[in-house]
């Protein structure tokens, strides 16, 4: 049995420039961090005693007689990519719900690939694991997703991720003190807006608009440089980071009409009126979690203003996807199992 733990992420700046349609021509950059909320994948070879070939349990349970009949696209894609045809049992649980802008889908894919590799007795480095997950999501199952979530999930930590025109990716840890990181963490508040959406649906619209939004995307990419400079300057005012978040959200909401709604706009304005300097809707848009930058002294006022919404406490996490349980099992002799079943049947 293998169990993997993979962190969810918060993306601060540069979202939208991590799509190949953009960075293959212009290059791209994002600033993002992982948090202490994770998804857990359990996988093992399926014992040959049941009336199904493979079993997959997530928000629903699938018992199938062959792996290509699995409905879950990421599970089916990962098994296809790795050429796994034997029966497997896969279970997924997470600290936070899916389709909420925290990179849950890619964390699932990264964690599943890591678990399946471990099941085969294989080890993949962080770069290759992220690249494999990007390939599965973008090429095998052809989801309209970017490339940042897979990298954050594989690496963990607060990073600047650069996407190069040749398709290569550079991951650079943001070099700032623990005190600075703690200060940033204490200025952030995460609220669930109560709306869920499928990121790929919003992303598809954004991809269509990308050729017409080059000025906006270039501006969002520049904000990554500005934000990194703020974090790495221990003496500079951190409030500037919050103001940049406000500027980023102002630009992002103009990329397509599906990114925000009147309800989300009301929540954002309520946050500003309570003292937040800035914020953003996480993920592709349309719903999910909203992140605010607010001074610790104003957090109580913010919570009072948004009392109808769930506030989720979190801390930054530096650990990427990793195996937490590794208990290899001997492979079953399926020919012997079939022989025995005939004996029992007689």
């Amino acid at each position: 049995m293998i169990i993997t733990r993979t962190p969810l992420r918060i993306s601060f700046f540069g979202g939208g420039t991590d799509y190949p349609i953009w960075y293959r021509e212009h290059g791209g950059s994002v600033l993002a961090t992982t948090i202490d909320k994770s998804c857990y994948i359990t996988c093992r070879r399926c014992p040959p005693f049941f009336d199904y070939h493979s079993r997959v349990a997530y928000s629903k349970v699938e018992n199938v007689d062959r792996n290509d009949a699995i409905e879950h696209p990421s599970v089916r894609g990962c098994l296809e990519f790795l050429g796994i045809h034997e029966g497997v049992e896969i279970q997924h649980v997470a600290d936070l719900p899916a389709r909420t802008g925290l990179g849950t889908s890619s964390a699932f894919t990264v964690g599943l690939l890591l678990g399946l590799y471990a099941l085969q007795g294989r080890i993949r480095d962080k770069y290759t694991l992220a690249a494999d997950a990007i390939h599965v999501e973008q090429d095998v199952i052809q989801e309209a997703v970017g490339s940042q979530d897979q990298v954050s999930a594989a690496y963990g930590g607060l990073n600047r991720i650069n996407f190069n025109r040749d398709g290569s990716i550079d991951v650079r840890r943001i070099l700032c003190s623990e005190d600075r990181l703690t200060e940033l963490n204490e200025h952030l508040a995460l609220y669930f807006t109560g709306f869920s959406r499928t990121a790929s649906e919003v992303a598809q619209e954004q991809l269509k608009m990308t050729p017409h939004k080059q000025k906006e995307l270039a501006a969002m990419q520049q904000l990554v440089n500005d934000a990194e400079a703020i974090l790495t300057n221990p003496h500079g005012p951190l409030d500037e980071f919050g103001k940049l978040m406000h500027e980023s959200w102002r630009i992002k909401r103009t990329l397509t009409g599906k990114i925000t709604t009147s309800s989300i706009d009301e929540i954002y304005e309520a946050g500003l009126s309570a003292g937040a300097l800035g914020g953003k809707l996480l993920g592709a848009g349309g719903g999910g979690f909203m992140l605010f930058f607010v001074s610790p002294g104003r957090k109580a006022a913010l919570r009072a203003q948004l009392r109808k919404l769930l506030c989720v406490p979190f801390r930054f996490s530096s650990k990427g996807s990793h195996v937490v349980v590794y208990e290899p099992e001997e492979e079953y002799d399926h020919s012997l199992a079939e022989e025995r079943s005939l004996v029992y049947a007689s």
Side-chain angles (χ1 to χ4, degrees):
M1 176 179 291
I2 310 296
I3 301 178
T4 63
R5 178 179 181 178
T6 306
L8 306 184
R9 67 95 185 98
I10 284 174
S11 178
F12 292 113
F13 299 100
T17 71
D18 64 313
Y19 289 96
I21 191 176
W22 173 265
Y23 68 74
R24 284 286 190 169
E25 182 176 353
H26 307 280
S29 297
V30 300
L31 181 68
T33 187
T34 47
I35 61 175
D36 61 350
K37 303 294 183 282
S38 304
C39 80
Y40 302 83
I41 304 287
T42 301
C43 51
R44 64 171 184 161
R45 293 183 176 87
C46 195
F49 310 112
F50 306 105
D51 59 355
Y52 49 80
H53 178 72
S54 289
R55 178 182 177 88
V56 184
Y58 47 107
S59 57
K60 64 181 289 186
V61 176
E62 296 187 54
N63 296 326
V64 298
D65 57 9
R66 64 184 194 282
N67 289 345
D68 62 4
I70 295 172
E71 293 180 8
H72 193 294
S74 180
V75 175
R76 190 179 64 251
C78 288
L79 294 175
E80 176 186 339
F81 171 64
L82 294 178
I84 296 176
H85 305 290
E86 63 182 314
V88 291
E89 184 174 85
I90 296 167
Q91 297 185 45
H92 166 258
V93 293
D95 294 325
L96 295 174
R99 301 188 303 276
T100 52
L102 297 175
T104 52
S105 296
S106 293
F108 180 100
T109 303
V110 169
L112 177 57
L113 283 173
L114 182 63
L116 292 174
Y117 276 126
L119 200 63
Q120 297 177 324
R122 301 166 63 187
I123 299 174
R124 305 296 268 178
D125 60 80
K126 294 179 182 299
Y127 186 94
T128 307
L129 180 61
D132 287 349
I134 291 170
H135 172 67
V136 167
E137 294 191 334
Q138 294 180 358
D139 302 322
V140 178
I141 62 177
Q142 299 185 339
E143 293 279 2
V145 297
S147 303
Q148 64 161 309
D149 293 353
Q150 304 89 338
V151 178
S152 284
Y155 280 80
L158 176 62
N159 301 302
R160 177 188 178 128
I161 307 170
N162 294 323
F163 302 93
N164 304 314
R165 292 180 177 87
D166 63 1
S168 63
I169 301 171
D170 299 321
V171 183
R172 189 171 71 198
R173 187 62 56 97
I174 298 296
L175 299 178
C176 58
S177 67
E178 286 297 322
D179 289 343
R180 191 67 160 170
L181 282 176
T182 299
E183 184 184 10
L184 175 60
N185 206 154
E186 291 175 345
H187 278 74
L188 299 174
L190 188 64
Y191 283 86
F192 184 51
T193 65
F195 316 110
S196 64
R197 84 287 180 271
T198 301
S200 60
E201 294 178 1
V202 182
Q204 285 172 358
E205 180 68 18
Q206 185 171 327
L207 290 175
K208 292 178 183 177
M209 296 302 297
T210 293
H212 311 288
K213 297 292 182 177
Q214 296 197 16
K215 179 180 178 181
E216 291 83 354
L217 287 167
M220 293 179 72
Q221 190 168 332
Q222 176 58 39
L223 291 178
V224 174
N225 298 328
D226 300 338
E228 182 180 12
I230 292 170
L231 293 180
T232 54
N233 178 5
H235 306 296
L238 194 60
D239 283 358
E240 294 303 312
F241 193 92
K243 295 175 182 177
L244 284 184
M245 287 179 63
H246 176 69
E247 177 64 13
S248 178
W249 173 241
R250 186 190 67 78
I251 299 171
K252 179 178 178 177
R253 65 192 308 278
T254 67
L255 295 180
T256 83
K258 292 186 176 182
I259 286 178
T260 190
T261 66
S262 59
S263 298
I264 290 170
D265 288 341
E266 288 175 7
I267 291 170
Y268 187 79
E269 291 302 321
L272 295 185
S273 68
L277 294 180
K280 61 169 296 190
L281 194 67
L282 297 176
F289 279 98
M290 180 165 282
L291 181 72
F292 287 102
F293 183 98
V294 59
S295 67
R298 297 295 302 172
K299 280 191 172 181
L302 180 65
R303 179 165 292 194
Q305 185 79 318
L306 302 177
R307 58 188 175 276
K308 294 183 180 180
L309 302 183
L310 176 65
C311 180
V312 178
F314 70 93
R315 306 301 298 176
F316 293 157
S317 171
S318 61
K319 202 163 189 178
S321 185
H322 59 286
V323 175
V324 293
V325 173
Y326 180 69
E327 297 179 353
E329 299 173 340
E330 292 186 10
E331 292 190 41
Y332 290 96
D333 185 336
H334 287 266
S335 61
L336 181 59
E338 291 174 4
E339 204 173 291
R340 287 176 176 171
S341 68
L342 290 175
V343 172
Y344 294 144
S346 63

